[in-house]
Amino acid sequence: MRLIKIFDSIAFRISFSIAVIVASTAVAVGWIIMREERKMLELELRSKGKYLTEIMSRRLVEPILYEERYEIFSLLQASMKGKESLVVYGEVYDKNGEVVVTAYKDEKLHKIIPLFENSIGSVDVREDNLLYHITLPINVEALGTIGFLRLGITKEPLYTTLKTVKQKFYLLSGGIIFIGIMIGLWMARKILRPILILNKGVRMVGEGELGIEVPVVGEGEIKELALSFNRMSKKLKELINETRAAQENLVRTEKLYAVGEFSAGVAHEIKNPLTSIKMLIQTVKQKKQALSSKDIEILEEEINRIDRIVKDFLAFARHEKTEKADVNINNLLEEVIAITRPKMEQSAISIKQKFSQPLPIIKGSHDALKQAFLNIVLNAIQAMDSGGGTLEIVTSYESGVMSQGLGNMPHNTPKVSVIIKDTGIGIPEKNLKKIFDPFFTTKEDGTGMGLALTYNIINDHSGRIDIDSTPFMGTTVRVELPL
Ligand SMILES: Nc1ncnc2c1ncn2[C@@H]1O[C@H](COP(=O)(O)OP(=O)(O)OP(=O)(O)O)[C@@H](O)[C@H]1O
Ligand SMILES: [Mg+2]
């Protein structure tokens, strides 16, 4: 993975390209130089060979004329003496092309190559891989051609020189390629460093480190880019700070507004019972008589009502996170039903229970959840107060996706779901979005805190609550609680 990343990086590609260019240039230049060098050396060796043959042919005139074969042989041998000598064989022919004398430096070379037809009369140079075969007619002014001389000139010095040149070339081009790669890497780093720095900067901003500045390195467009990035980063930070401040302001204003609304609601709720208490006391005062037992009953009722409002208000306002313990929702609902059964019997409400058994235990506050479900069940009973009906309570375990609605439970959490369904008066569409508001009530003696409290409790358990209702048909409340 890391290796692929390196091959993919621009730095690698640039230095690799530079290395390839440098290497191929070095090879091409080297090849040309070698070719020229070889040509030059060949030419030099050839002319040296011709010169040697010429000198030798002049020296051979006299011995040939006097037919001194031994002298000819000695002269040929002398020309081959010494390590440095280029001549490896010598052959002397008579004017008819018949061999007169031969001498070889190395006996292995002992093979007579016949004279070439066209070599008669002029210098003839033949070559194979190892030797130049140079043939020259031996001329005397008065007699014309008296014979031929052929010398074998070794190409060895040519190969030795070429070998050293090649070695030097390999060494040099190796060095050039190495330096090329180094320069490539260095250039790539120099060009890319500012881009890499920018890249890092962008990543950091992406991760939320607003306002960071990258060092301005590089030239031209890259420098411009770095400057623009720094400006953008700074602007972004300012903007976000401003937005944050505005948001905080808004939240503060909303909170103040909510507190105002809430206080107005509490005051309004308390005002009613207080007014009736005040009126009662005033009447008793005017009539100058003692409180009757009925008056005391009314007083007690109104004071209880105030007490309830204040209690609910405190419970809502404190919004305390209660200690969580194991809760069995089936058992908890049984308790709620037990409390409300007398009321249901009074109002001719039948109850249908469909409890999934066993139901997983959830973590939560038993008392708070009992209060929440009691509020829902009480609302259902109150909705069916006048004509009776059926209350259906269904529990189930679900491991799948959650339905859309209020609350903040993440999707795909295993959860317990409770459905409380009544056949009561239902909720008109326009009220549906207000039922969770504190103090929203349509009941004469209601506080409107029931569902507000319930919502908070379910929310504290990371659950969600949805209410679906059709006027005059009934209401379905669905509560989902994560395990
Ligand atoms: N099951 C239901 N059927 C019909 N209306 C309902 C039902 N549940 C809630 N409501 C409507 O929502 C309103 C708000 O309910 P909530 O429980 O918050 O207050 P409340 O019942 O009026 O008063 P409290 O619960 O304090 O006695 C109710 O007044 C009622 O109009
Ligand atoms: Mg209620």
Side-chain angles (χ1 to χ4, degrees):
M1 229 17 232
R2 247 190 103 72
L3 216 62
I4 291 172
K5 228 176 162 180
I6 290 172
F7 289 142
D8 269 349
S9 72
I10 303 174
F12 176 79
R13 286 189 208 177
I14 291 182
S15 47
F16 183 75
S17 313
I18 291 177
V20 167
I21 293 169
V22 168
S24 40
T25 314
V27 167
V29 169
W31 185 77
I32 293 170
I33 290 176
M34 296 271 269
R35 208 184 55 175
E36 292 305 310
E37 181 80 15
R38 193 194 170 106
K39 260 192 204 162
M40 229 172 66
L41 284 171
E42 271 174 349
L43 221 71
E44 205 182 318
L45 200 59
R46 230 176 218 262
S47 50
K48 224 178 190 171
K50 274 192 206 163
Y51 176 69
L52 279 176
T53 320
E54 245 168 59
I55 292 190
M56 182 57 80
S57 72
R58 252 177 255 151
R59 280 198 196 160
L60 283 172
V61 171
E62 219 164 289
I64 288 174
L65 281 177
Y66 296 105
E67 288 184 26
E68 289 172 343
R69 288 179 182 239
Y70 185 73
E71 178 66 18
I72 298 172
F73 181 74
S74 298
L75 277 171
L76 289 177
Q77 278 246 303
S79 73
M80 284 176 247
K81 231 181 229 154
K83 261 191 165 178
E84 302 287 290
S85 163
L86 294 171
V87 183
V88 288
Y89 74 83
E91 289 164 354
V92 175
Y93 302 81
D94 63 15
K95 61 181 174 193
N96 301 317
E98 298 295 325
V99 179
V100 180
V101 175
T102 59
Y104 296 93
K105 191 177 196 172
D106 187 341
E107 279 308 310
K108 270 181 254 162
L109 288 165
H110 197 297
K111 68 167 196 241
I112 294 169
I113 307 159
L115 270 192
F116 307 109
E117 280 296 319
N118 58 355
S119 62
I120 295 171
S122 62
V123 184
D124 180 75
V125 182
R126 310 278 160 135
E127 68 176 298
D128 53 38
N129 275 342
L130 296 173
L131 301 172
Y132 286 115
H133 309 275
I134 302 170
T135 315
L136 200 71
I138 303 170
N139 296 324
V140 177
E141 240 174 70
L143 302 168
T145 301
I146 57 165
F148 297 95
L149 168 66
R150 177 154 68 190
L151 288 185
I153 303 295
T154 178
K155 282 186 179 178
E156 212 182 284
L158 175 86
Y159 290 126
T160 344
T161 316
L162 277 179
K163 205 172 144 193
T164 39
V165 169
K166 237 183 216 169
Q167 272 170 353
K168 274 184 199 157
F169 164 70
Y170 287 147
L171 213 73
L172 197 72
S173 48
I176 290 174
I177 290 170
F178 177 75
I179 290 169
I181 290 175
M182 286 297 130
I183 289 175
L185 277 173
W186 176 77
M187 265 170 66
R189 259 195 79 79
K190 196 169 160 57
I191 296 169
L192 288 180
R193 205 173 85 91
I195 296 178
L196 293 180
I197 290 173
L198 260 176
N199 190 22
K200 195 172 160 201
V202 171
R203 217 172 32 231
M204 279 165 87
V205 168
E207 281 162 6
E209 270 190 63
L210 298 167
I212 56 146
E213 282 197 12
V214 295
V216 180
V217 280
E219 291 301 325
E221 291 96 328
I222 292 179
K223 188 177 173 183
E224 267 300 305
L225 206 61
L227 287 170
S228 303
F229 173 83
N230 286 345
R231 270 199 301 274
M232 181 204 75
S233 174
K234 202 172 142 206
K235 267 265 158 63
L236 208 64
K237 189 180 179 177
E238 281 170 12
L239 207 75
I240 296 236
N241 282 349
E242 271 171 32
T243 316
R244 235 175 239 160
Q247 202 178 20
E248 273 161 20
N249 250 334
L250 199 74
V251 169
R252 216 171 294 129
T253 319
E254 286 232 314
K255 270 188 193 159
L256 282 177
Y257 178 75
V259 169
E261 282 262 284
F262 208 78
S263 316
V266 175
H268 181 259
E269 287 303 308
I270 292 178
K271 217 175 120 195
N272 291 343
L274 273 183
T275 313
S276 50
I277 292 171
K278 204 170 143 193
M279 270 164 53
L280 194 82
I281 290 171
Q282 265 172 0
T283 334
V284 170
K285 224 177 169 180
Q286 272 166 13
K287 287 184 183 168
K288 289 194 174 127
Q289 51 181 216
L291 286 167
S292 69
S293 60
K294 199 175 167 253
D295 291 339
I296 291 172
E297 221 172 83
I298 294 171
L299 272 179
E300 212 179 353
E301 219 171 82
E302 295 301 319
I303 286 168
N304 278 344
R305 185 161 170 187
I306 293 173
D307 187 45
R308 225 176 82 211
I309 291 166
V310 171
K311 263 191 197 144
D312 282 354
F313 169 72
L314 284 178
F316 183 85
R318 278 196 195 127
H319 201 329
E320 287 163 343
K321 289 234 184 237
T322 38
E323 292 250 332
K324 304 269 159 76
D326 287 350
V327 179
N328 181 325
I329 293 292
N330 281 350
N331 292 352
L332 187 142
L333 287 169
E334 288 287 3
E335 286 173 37
V336 171
I337 292 166
I339 299 168
T340 51
R341 198 179 292 279
K343 272 197 179 175
M344 287 194 259
E345 278 165 5
Q346 246 176 37
S347 312
I349 294 166
S350 58
I351 172 143
K352 246 200 241 172
Q353 267 170 261
K354 280 189 217 159
F355 286 2
S356 158
Q357 293 282 10
L359 198 63
I361 300 295
I362 69 155
K363 281 271 172 223
S365 156
H366 181 275
D367 289 350
L369 286 172
K370 188 170 160 186
Q371 183 63 53
F373 285 113
L374 189 65
N375 287 346
I376 298 168
V377 170
L378 280 177
N379 281 349
I381 294 171
Q382 285 156 4
M384 299 184 285
D385 227 358
S386 44
T390 309
L391 177 72
E392 195 180 321
I393 304 180
V394 183
T395 64
S396 59
Y397 166 70
E398 279 167 42
S399 52
V401 183
M402 292 239 315
S403 53
Q404 281 291 290
L406 297 159
N408 54 5
M409 202 197 299
H411 281 252
N412 285 326
T413 355
K415 68 220 167 219
V416 164
S417 114
V418 181
I419 291 170
I420 298 167
K421 194 171 169 187
D422 66 61
T423 54
I425 51 169
I427 307 166
E429 173 96 52
K430 67 173 168 53
N431 287 351
L432 215 47
K433 54 179 181 286
K434 289 189 253 171
I435 52 174
F436 291 107
D437 291 351
F439 305 117
F440 174 76
T441 180
T442 54
K443 295 165 197 167
E444 217 161 90
D445 58 348
T447 62
M449 288 300 291
L451 284 182
L453 269 171
T454 302
Y455 181 87
N456 273 358
I457 291 166
I458 302 296
N459 214 21
D460 281 348
H461 285 77
S462 310
R464 64 194 304 161
I465 174 167
D466 300 293
I467 297 196
D468 208 15
S469 186
T470 317
F472 312 113
M473 293 296 287
T475 303
T476 304
V477 181
R478 182 189 170 92
V479 175
E480 288 175 351
L481 294 163
L483 292 193

